[in-house]
Amino acid sequence: MPSKRMGALVLLLLFGGFVLNFIMQAASLRNFGSVFHWISQYYWLYISGSLFFFFVLLVCSALLPNVYTGALIASLVCFVIAVANYKKLGTTGEPLFPWDLRQVKNAQELSKITKGMISPYAVIAAVILIALLVYVVYKLPKIRIQLPLRFLMIIVSAAVIFGFFQMVGGQTALAISMKYQNIPWNQKVNYTQNGFVYAFAGNLKQKLMEKPDGYSRSAIEAIAQKYSALPDDTNMNANAPAEQPNIMYMMDEAFFDPTRLPGYTFSEDPLKFIHQEQNSTPSGFLLSPEFGGNTANVEFEALTGMSMYFLQDGSIPYQQRIVKMSSLPSIVSILKARGYETKALHPFDDTFYNRNRVYPILGFDQFTSEKDLKDAERFTPSGYISDKFAVEEAVSELKKSDKPTFLHLVTMQNHFPFTKGLNGTNTITVDGVKPEFKDELETYVHDTKLTDEALAYLSEQLKTIQRPTIVVFWGDHLPALSAGIYTQAGWDANPRLKHETKLMYLANFDIGKQSVGTHSPAFIGPTIFQMSGQKLPPYYRLLEQVKSEIPGLSKNVRIGSSGVLTQLTAEQKALLNDYRLVEYDMLEGENYSKDLLF
């Protein structure tokens, strides 16, 4: 191969590396103008990151016979990642993490979920651009590289790429000298300050939690002794049933009360049953740790009693840690040990968030997913399985069991996109909303009405179940509606409102009607144990103590018994320290808690 052509190829790939890094950072900052300001402050991060992309392009060029083809494929993959990062930031407010790429195996399901997020004109433009690039590659003069030189390019590039990951992951002196600072506790700042490639690489070895000060077996033993000594007042519930009750969790996708949004008026109340029933049964709000997505993290809190509050920003325990474990104590495993049948029901792909692998680790005996529901009801062929059908399946599972059953239902009906007609004709009009958001908001409000009807049906069916049964219903997070809908309602400056979803307890026996206020999903477990008159393990007595002081615990806002907490007392800090030590022990430590606290 002539040296001039080789030199031209190297220059072209080097230029491509700088362009790709620029595009990646523009996706993280969400505009091109801010990239220049970032480069002026962190020019060594930009230069070294661009060299990383250069070697990625170089190794891909050497792997395929046509050097341009490998570089083009690598560039397109990087561009897709940049678009995914941009869209995720716009939808959930979080950047793209390495563990998000594990969802590639669910590409077909993801295409359905994200339908409507990208303009069809953008898709057409992308297709035309790709076709043009393929044509250019075809027309460019063929460059032949001798095999020894190809091997050398691959070895050198692979060594540099590996060295880059080691440099970033180890936070070496070289990385620090270029102003790299790993900021896992605030991933938005992490990506904004360090750039996409450094932040992404730094997250590859990211743990869920850093080891807290004072962690040891003796510390966990002391905590176990402290909370084991606390009185268990669950037997004081005079209305608790004599026999073990069925317990059903119903975590409803993207459900909240849209009538809380000020400035909008509705042609009818979409939540007639909920609003009518909420004063005659324990109800309130759930403080979700998420907004617009990451359902698995809300589920993680509810099933394990562990809090996302202590985990590194952007963590997804199901994908990063639990899937690698053999077992993990949870309300599922506790009830299973007490003679319960443990069942999960999710009318969608069973591999999403690795649920098919995580559920057995948590203690579930049975998992019914979309593939097992061949005749499932949908309002339209392209819609998700309806909440009503999911509830019917749940009731059927409860009725056919002759043993007490714990059933965990995760619905899908209200998932993004909020496409008009997806769940039938909209039946509620919303006034006061800007024209560009009207169809979207009315579609979502219509969907919540369908959920309200499904919950009313469940309430009636509870009366037909002979075994005492208690249900806890909640929305996992607020929907990823267009940001303008929340902005117009004045919610942007109030993190509490953007994280409160509806929470309601229902039963076919007397559980009272006192409001439960606002609490985190991690505290559903002790509440259920108390309502059903069941003994609290020491770990759940710890949770009950935390709940009594800080019922709403999230990175976005902390809620005490009298409102938002800006400062913590010494007692509250001590409680959270105990909580943190136990959570670390179960997730990253030696799991002494398994024998001591359960």
Side-chain angles (χ1 to χ4, degrees):
M1 174 183 178
S3 58
K4 286 186 177 179
R5 285 192 177 181
M6 186 63 187
L9 174 64
V10 170
L11 287 175
L12 179 62
L13 297 182
L14 185 62
F15 175 75
F18 277 82
V19 171
L20 282 178
N21 198 19
F22 187 94
I23 291 172
M24 286 293 189
Q25 192 58 10
S28 288
L29 298 174
R30 299 187 61 76
N31 68 73
F32 288 104
S34 299
V35 182
F36 293 104
H37 177 69
W38 175 77
I39 292 173
S40 69
Q41 290 185 299
Y42 302 98
Y43 44 87
W44 283 118
L45 292 181
Y46 176 64
I47 292 170
S48 57
S50 300
L51 290 176
F52 167 81
F53 282 110
F54 161 70
F55 282 104
V56 169
L57 294 176
L58 189 64
V59 71
C60 291
S61 297
L63 286 171
L64 296 178
N66 187 335
V67 294
Y68 299 116
T69 303
L72 175 61
I73 292 173
S75 298
L76 290 175
V77 170
C78 291
F79 184 75
V80 169
I81 291 174
V83 171
N85 183 41
Y86 179 84
K87 297 304 293 186
K88 189 185 178 198
L89 274 166
T91 303
T92 68
E94 289 188 336
L96 190 73
F97 303 114
W99 43 90
D100 289 328
L101 299 185
R102 294 174 185 168
Q103 295 288 20
V104 169
K105 67 181 185 298
N106 303 109
Q108 183 176 352
E109 290 77 15
L110 280 171
S111 64
K112 180 178 179 179
I113 288 174
T114 57
K115 185 179 179 182
M117 291 183 69
I118 301 176
S119 165
Y121 298 107
V123 174
I124 293 171
V127 170
I128 294 173
L129 178 61
I130 292 171
L132 181 62
L133 289 172
V134 170
Y135 177 78
V136 170
V137 167
Y138 177 77
K139 286 295 184 180
L140 283 171
K142 304 297 182 291
I143 297 178
R144 297 184 179 278
I145 303 177
Q146 301 276 340
L147 277 179
L149 182 56
R150 283 186 183 272
F151 283 130
L152 180 62
M153 289 167 62
I154 292 171
I155 292 171
V156 171
S157 298
V160 171
I161 292 169
F162 177 78
F164 178 85
F165 286 128
Q166 291 297 108
M167 175 190 72
V168 178
Q171 295 191 68
T172 62
L174 177 58
I176 294 171
S177 70
M178 291 187 287
K179 294 187 177 181
Y180 170 67
Q181 179 187 5
N182 189 24
I183 314 172
W185 57 88
N186 191 331
Q187 292 287 0
K188 291 180 185 177
V189 175
N190 194 21
Y191 278 69
T192 301
Q193 178 174 309
N194 294 311
F196 180 88
V197 64
Y198 269 87
F200 193 87
N203 279 324
L204 286 172
K205 296 182 178 180
Q206 192 67 57
K207 290 184 176 181
L208 291 175
M209 298 177 69
E210 294 299 326
K211 185 177 180 179
D213 294 337
Y215 173 70
S216 65
R217 180 182 180 89
S218 60
I220 301 301
E221 287 175 342
I223 291 171
Q225 185 176 7
K226 180 196 302 187
Y227 294 99
S228 296
L230 291 178
D232 183 358
D233 60 0
T234 54
N235 291 326
M236 295 173 61
N237 184 359
N239 297 318
E243 62 178 327
Q244 290 178 308
N246 294 325
I247 297 172
M248 175 178 163
Y249 278 10
M250 181 175 174
M251 185 171 76
D252 204 273
E253 172 61 37
F255 183 88
F256 87 116
D257 185 348
T259 65
R260 299 185 79 199
L261 291 166
Y264 303 129
T265 56
F266 305 84
S267 59
E268 65 174 273
D269 182 0
L271 307 184
K272 291 178 181 177
F273 169 77
I274 289 176
H275 290 156
Q276 174 184 323
E277 191 72 13
Q278 64 186 7
N279 294 322
S280 56
T281 195
S283 65
F285 297 99
L286 179 123
L287 187 68
S288 175
E290 302 294 341
F291 174 83
N294 287 341
T295 295
N297 288 346
V298 186
E299 184 176 26
F300 160 77
E301 282 206 11
L303 294 177
T304 68
M306 293 186 236
S307 176
M308 293 298 299
Y309 178 80
F310 301 115
L311 305 190
Q312 302 282 20
D313 197 18
S315 297
I316 302 181
Y318 274 18
Q319 295 180 329
Q320 293 172 259
R321 184 71 183 98
I322 300 178
V323 72
K324 303 173 186 177
M325 304 172 76
S326 58
S327 64
L328 181 67
S330 69
I331 192 171
V332 191
S333 62
I334 293 169
L335 292 173
K336 183 176 179 179
R338 294 180 180 181
Y340 275 71
E341 290 188 359
T342 53
K343 302 178 180 181
L345 172 59
H346 179 46
F348 198 58
D349 179 27
D350 62 338
T351 66
F352 229 70
Y353 288 117
N354 292 317
R355 284 189 175 97
N356 60 325
R357 297 167 62 191
V358 168
Y359 279 171
I361 294 168
L362 295 177
F364 282 107
D365 294 319
Q366 174 185 310
F367 179 21
T368 303
S369 66
E370 185 177 32
K371 71 177 188 295
D372 305 307
L373 304 170
K374 302 301 182 184
D375 300 318
E377 175 189 292
R378 306 169 193 264
F379 290 100
T380 62
S382 57
Y384 298 107
I385 293 175
S386 71
D387 282 3
K388 174 72 177 304
F389 179 86
V391 166
E392 289 173 348
E393 281 294 310
V395 169
S396 175
E397 288 290 343
L398 292 176
K399 285 185 175 181
K400 72 182 182 184
S401 178
D402 57 0
K403 296 172 61 178
T405 300
F406 174 77
L407 190 145
H408 175 56
L409 168 62
V410 182
T411 71
M412 275 298 291
Q413 175 193 283
N414 301 330
H415 201 290
F416 187 94
F418 307 112
T419 305
K420 187 176 182 179
L422 191 65
N423 289 321
T425 304
N426 289 352
T427 55
I428 299 179
T429 58
V430 182
D431 293 323
V433 60
K434 293 180 179 179
E436 59 267 33
F437 304 133
K438 188 174 177 63
D439 281 349
E440 179 185 6
L441 184 55
E442 288 182 347
T443 297
Y444 177 75
V445 172
H446 168 75
D447 293 349
T448 64
K449 176 183 176 180
L450 298 175
T451 297
D452 185 72
E453 292 170 351
L455 193 60
Y457 170 81
L458 175 59
S459 179
E460 286 299 313
Q461 286 298 306
L462 285 179
K463 300 171 185 176
T464 68
I465 300 175
Q466 293 189 355
R467 179 178 291 273
T469 302
I470 185 169
V471 175
V472 53
F473 166 89
W474 75 91
D476 58 350
H477 53 72
L478 268 74
L481 296 168
S482 294
I485 292 175
Y486 295 112
T487 300
Q488 186 181 342
W491 278 24
D492 287 349
N494 193 327
R496 176 173 181 171
L497 291 174
K498 292 188 77 170
H499 288 270
E500 279 187 332
T501 66
K502 195 60 189 172
L503 171 67
M504 178 174 284
Y505 294 84
L506 301 170
N508 58 5
F509 61 94
D510 186 7
I511 56 173
K513 57 181 180 179
Q514 185 173 357
S515 170
V516 295
T518 295
H519 66 71
S520 294
F523 305 136
I524 291 174
T527 305
I528 282 287
F529 278 141
Q530 289 180 328
M531 287 183 177
S532 59
Q534 300 205 46
K535 181 178 177 62
L536 270 70
Y539 172 65
Y540 278 81
R541 298 184 203 181
L542 164 61
L543 295 183
E544 182 57 32
Q545 290 297 304
V546 178
K547 179 190 171 190
S548 67
E549 289 287 332
I550 316 171
L553 183 64
S554 79
K555 292 178 182 291
N556 305 287
V557 62
R558 294 176 307 210
I559 298 175
S561 56
S562 57
V564 175
L565 287 174
T566 55
Q567 298 291 330
L568 297 177
T569 66
E571 292 79 7
Q572 290 169 339
K573 289 178 181 178
L575 266 176
L576 291 184
N577 187 56
D578 289 347
Y579 195 2
R580 179 184 287 106
L581 285 168
V582 172
E583 187 160 329
Y584 175 82
D585 177 59
M586 289 195 285
L587 287 178
E588 299 283 7
E590 300 300 323
N591 204 4
Y592 306 122
S593 304
K594 184 176 181 181
D595 296 324
L596 296 171
L597 285 159
F598 291 88

